[in-house]
Amino acid sequence: MTDVSDAAAGWLARQLVNGDHFENVHDGTTYPDQGLTLDALFAFTAAGVASDSADKAAAWLARPEIIDNYLRLGKPTDSFAGPHAKLALAAQVRGQNPTDFGGVDLIAGLTALQTPSGRFSDKSQYGDLSNGFTQAFAVLALDRWQGAPKAAVDYLVGTQCPDGGFPLILGAPTCASHVDATTMVVQALVAVGKTAEAGKALDWLTGVQQPGGGFRDEDQTDEGNANSTGLAAQALRVGGRTAAADKAAAFLTSLQVACAAAVADRGAIAFDKTGFTQVSSLRASAQGVLGLVGVNFADLTAEGGTPGAPVLDCPVTTTTPTSPTSSTSDTTTTTATTTTDVTATTTTTTTAAAVVVVGNRGNLARTGVEIGLALWIGALLLVGGVLTVVLSRRRYAEARK
């Protein structure tokens, strides 16, 4: 029987463009989506399947034009902390050297962006896009390498809100706890031994969990979504909150596209209870897998991973005549299949895998930079695709009204 997380990871692997990456569409132009590609790489690693797809994704990410675009937007004067941190962590997860990934020293690039306060900030003509995800990923990546700097850990701890959660936007006048950001910080805090602070954050997370087990993004009023719930389930499992993690995993399982759907869609995790769309299910499946498996980013390893993209186990219905003389009476027989994966040598090319279609929504909050290029920059750079996720969720919710 194929595991829920395996089937979701298998579906995600079959959506990769040219078998090794995802893309982002803005104003009719297609751009590489390194953030979502990294999310998929983490998902494949966590599930322990599609290791061939993870290796191909890592090789794509290490291509000079891809890595330069992600870390610097191709500009030697710019450098972004979030991409350095997330890519450095991914390199280590896949057993590669983060000081020589695609010929780039990601560790040196990241540490060069640490400010005296301990915060990791961007150096860019477009402003500082760093946030709670950035700091958490930086602590995770550096702790896994040779230990996180004390100043970086102290800064992260110092961002905790009075209610116990952690904010997405750092340095805001009012500390607003954010589910997704809190889940990432919890994993970083557990990794560096800050269990008391992690415990307070976990208390806050369990307090905002919905009765059905899901977690909402800000401004949502429904049962929750797979993205936030996936990250929350991961953090809850890491923090030993087993009952809450089990409820979250059950919610994620309820969102999996089942056997009644089209064959190509089976196994995906839908964004929410309104149903499946390929675009919204890409990151939902990636983050959903992390929640179903429940392994800390600090402990993810490629060891033991197997190639191939598992498929959801579904019954096969065949119809055979009951007798040679019968003209109308048939017997329908249903048998269960146990196919768990495609062959490791099969490469699926999906040329129409639209990830995010970014529309004009006015100025970016807190930057004063015009939309368009700045929005694409944010979608490309923000760690974990935070801005992409927020915008795509809001657009998706609006479209379903």
Side-chain angles (χ1 to χ4, degrees):
M1 188 73 175
T2 305
D3 185 82
V4 174
S5 60
D6 290 357
W11 176 84
L12 187 64
R14 290 187 290 276
Q15 310 312 303
L16 288 163
V17 177
N18 297 328
D20 60 9
H21 72 282
F22 287 106
E23 294 177 343
N24 188 299
V25 179
H26 171 55
D27 284 350
T29 301
T30 300
Y31 300 90
D33 192 334
Q34 293 94 329
L36 179 55
T37 303
L38 283 164
D39 288 339
L41 181 151
F42 288 135
F44 301 151
T45 307
V49 300
S51 60
D52 49 340
S53 296
D55 289 339
K56 291 176 183 177
W60 177 82
L61 287 160
R63 287 166 51 180
E65 71 277 16
I66 298 300
I67 197 170
D68 187 55
N69 175 268
Y70 189 43
L71 302 180
R72 301 180 180 279
L73 278 181
K75 305 181 191 309
T77 57
D78 289 357
S79 188
F80 298 90
H84 275 90
K86 191 172 184 180
L87 198 53
L89 179 62
Q92 294 175 84
V93 164
R94 296 305 302 173
Q96 299 190 37
N97 186 352
T99 67
D100 187 18
F101 184 80
V104 176
D105 188 338
L106 298 168
I107 299 297
L110 177 58
T111 55
L113 295 171
Q114 185 177 351
T115 66
S117 69
R119 177 177 176 174
F120 292 89
S121 297
D122 303 326
K123 293 179 180 178
S124 165
Q125 60 184 299
Y126 304 107
D128 185 7
L129 300 174
S130 64
N131 55 38
F133 268 64
T134 305
Q135 195 72 18
F137 266 123
V139 169
L140 283 163
L142 293 174
D143 181 68
R144 186 158 176 161
W145 181 241
Q146 292 181 343
K150 182 179 184 300
V153 175
D154 290 345
Y155 180 87
L156 185 62
V157 169
T159 64
Q160 192 161 31
C161 297
D163 59 11
F166 284 84
L168 176 62
I169 306 301
L170 302 177
T174 301
C175 192
S177 293
H178 186 274
V179 169
D180 296 40
T182 300
T183 66
M184 289 302 307
V185 175
V186 163
Q187 296 184 67
L189 293 177
V190 170
V192 298
K194 295 290 184 180
T195 55
E197 293 83 354
K200 293 177 183 178
L202 289 164
D203 289 342
W204 179 80
L205 272 178
T206 56
V208 298
Q209 187 173 26
Q210 299 304 302
F215 285 82
R216 296 172 176 169
D217 190 21
E218 54 187 356
D219 300 331
Q220 276 194 305
T221 58
D222 55 14
E223 297 178 68
N225 65 79
N227 304 59
S228 296
T229 304
L231 293 175
Q234 184 183 19
L236 290 166
R237 189 77 64 192
V238 166
R241 305 298 175 95
T242 304
D246 287 346
K247 284 180 60 178
F251 178 80
L252 291 168
T253 301
S254 75
L255 295 177
Q256 186 162 54
V257 179
C259 295
V263 173
D265 302 338
R266 294 174 184 171
I269 296 177
F271 173 74
D272 61 18
K273 291 295 182 70
T274 58
F276 168 84
T277 69
Q278 190 226 17
V279 171
S280 65
S281 292
L282 292 172
R283 187 168 274 107
S285 295
Q287 295 180 334
V289 167
L290 294 174
L292 290 166
V293 176
V295 177
N296 194 334
F297 279 109
D299 301 319
L300 277 181
T301 176
E303 293 181 11
T306 59
V311 297
L312 190 67
D313 290 320
C314 291
V316 175
T317 301
T318 59
T319 302
T320 57
T322 55
S323 70
T325 59
S326 175
S327 60
T328 59
S329 177
D330 290 333
T331 298
T332 299
T333 303
T334 301
T335 59
T337 66
T338 56
T339 303
T340 58
D341 55 35
V342 298
T343 61
T345 58
T346 299
T347 300
T348 301
T349 299
T350 306
T351 58
V355 177
V356 177
V357 180
V358 180
N360 191 327
R361 296 182 58 81
N363 289 347
L364 283 178
R366 296 175 51 79
T367 66
V369 182
E370 289 297 314
I371 202 73
L373 177 60
L375 180 52
W376 164 239
I377 291 167
L380 180 69
L381 297 172
L382 239 51
V383 186
V386 174
L387 182 57
T388 303
V389 172
V390 171
L391 292 175
S392 62
R393 288 178 189 175
R394 289 176 180 171
R395 281 195 308 277
Y396 182 66
E398 290 169 359
R400 304 296 300 201
K401 287 181 179 177

